């Protein structure tokens, strides 16, 4: 890609072996690349504390750090077509996801470029076995991932009525005569939001909470409703296309937010079309300045992941749980 930013290779490797006549797995984690921002120490601490690993060598001809690892497992297959040792499922994927979570979301200093997996046949006690490996290549971020996720433009006046504008909007918004109206939420809307906070609450912390305590309850003190005709019109037209694409689908996932609040659920149901697009209200944690910019001009996809990482690639990350969204909510630097 022509990038000059530092790269880092992390490889998981398992090789079947014998000990006192019994088969076992020799498992390793190998790290190759520059020690950018002290990543050697951070990764060493992670794999030793969370992946049952021990440092065995440094600066070898093959890697810069090498660890033995006792966390990797491969089950013996029970299918007749795969008789042999270590041919069953492995937990490589689970630990690859944990490592990516640590690098991309927790540290916020790296992004995942590629993940490759491979295996080769080996013979163990006359039976077919597999040696497996997984390779992940990370690239250092040019800008801190804690930057504000802002849109770069201003809201534009649509100049006509947006498609299927909500009936609770102001007259100017429904006519498309204003770029954006931001109005205080009604008492009914505050109650709906509180139902979502309570109904999706889970007393569970993930790594992105950074060790801070989980709140016992999240209370809605105030809220604003944004009416942006141009954004709504784009959303409504995309919703129409999605209704056609989902026609006949029966196994759609129901977001936790829908059963949490009947009032918000009803706002997702059109009086003629119902909710064929599986529309739902979801949550996105941010800071006040960033939130107001997003409401006016939507997300800027060029900055996706700058606030809290992008473990699954560039995109808009939403949450069903109020506690999960709270992990990314913060004040502005000015304290507002």
């Amino acid at each position: 890609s022509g990038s000059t930013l530092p790269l880092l290779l992390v490889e998981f490797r398992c090789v079947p072996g014998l000990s006192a006549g019994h088969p076992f797995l020799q498992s390793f984690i190998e790290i190759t690349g520059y020690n950018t921002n002290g990543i050697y120490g951070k990764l060493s601490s992670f794999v030793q504390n969370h992946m049952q690993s021990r440092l065995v060598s440094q600066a070898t001809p093959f890697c810069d750090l090498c660890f033995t690892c006792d966390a990797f497992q491969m089950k013996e297959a029970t299918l007749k077509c795969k008789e042999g040792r270590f041919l069953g499922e492995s937990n490589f994927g689970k630990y690859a996801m944990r490592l990516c979570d640590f690098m991309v979301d927790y540290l916020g200093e790296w992004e995942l470029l590629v993940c490759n997996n491979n295996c080769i046949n080996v013979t163990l006690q006359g039976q077919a076995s597999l040696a497996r490996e997984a390779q992940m290549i990370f690239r250092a971020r040019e800008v801190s991932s804690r930057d504000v996720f802002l849109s770069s433009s201003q809201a534009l006046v649509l100049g006509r009525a947006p498609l299927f504008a909500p009936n609770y909007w102001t007259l100017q918004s429904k006519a498309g005569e204003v770029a954006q109206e931001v109005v205080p939420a009604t008492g009914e809307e505050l109650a709906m939001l509180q139902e979502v906070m309570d109904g999706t609450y889970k007393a569970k912390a993930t790594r992105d909470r950074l060790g801070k305590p989980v709140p016992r309850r999240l209370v809605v003190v105030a809220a604003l409703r944004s009416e942006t005709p141009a954004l709504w019109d784009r959303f409504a037209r995309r919703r129409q296309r999605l209704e056609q694409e989902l026609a006949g689908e029966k196994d759609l996932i129901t977001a936790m937010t829908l059963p949490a609040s009947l009032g918000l659920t009803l706002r997702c149901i059109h009086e003629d079309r119902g909710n064929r697009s599986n529309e739902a209200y979801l949550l996105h944690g941010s800071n006040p300045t960033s939130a107001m910019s997003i409401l006016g001009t939507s997300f800027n996809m060029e900055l996706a992941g700058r606030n809290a990482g992008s473990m699954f690639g560039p995109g808009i990350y939403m949450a069903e749980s109020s506690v999960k969204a709270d992990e990314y909510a913060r004040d502005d630097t000015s304290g507002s």
Side-chain angles (χ1 to χ4, degrees), residues 100-121:
C100 290
D101 185 23
F102 174 74
M103 295 285 288
V104 176
D105 286 342
Y106 183 75
L107 294 181
E109 301 169 346
W110 299 83
E111 57 184 343
L112 178 67
L113 291 185
V114 66
C115 179
N116 291 321
N117 292 271
N118 201 359
C119 58
I120 60 172
N121 291 316

Side-chain angles (χ1 to χ4, degrees), residues 26-79:
Q26 304 174 85
S27 301
F28 304 91
I29 299 175
E30 297 177 346
I31 299 170
T32 305
Y34 293 109
N35 188 21
T36 306
N37 295 329
I39 189 60
Y40 284 1
K42 298 171 184 177
L43 262 180
S44 295
S45 177
F46 176 78
V47 300
Q48 290 180 88
N49 291 330
H50 301 285
M51 297 183 65
Q52 304 174 45
S53 301
R54 299 175 302 281
L55 180 65
V56 293
S57 59
Q58 302 181 53
T60 73
F62 308 103
C63 63
D64 295 303
L65 295 175
C66 180
F67 300 82
T68 58
C69 177
D70 294 332
F72 299 140
Q73 297 177 359
M74 289 195 219
K75 296 181 180 178
E76 294 186 20
T78 57
L79 300 177

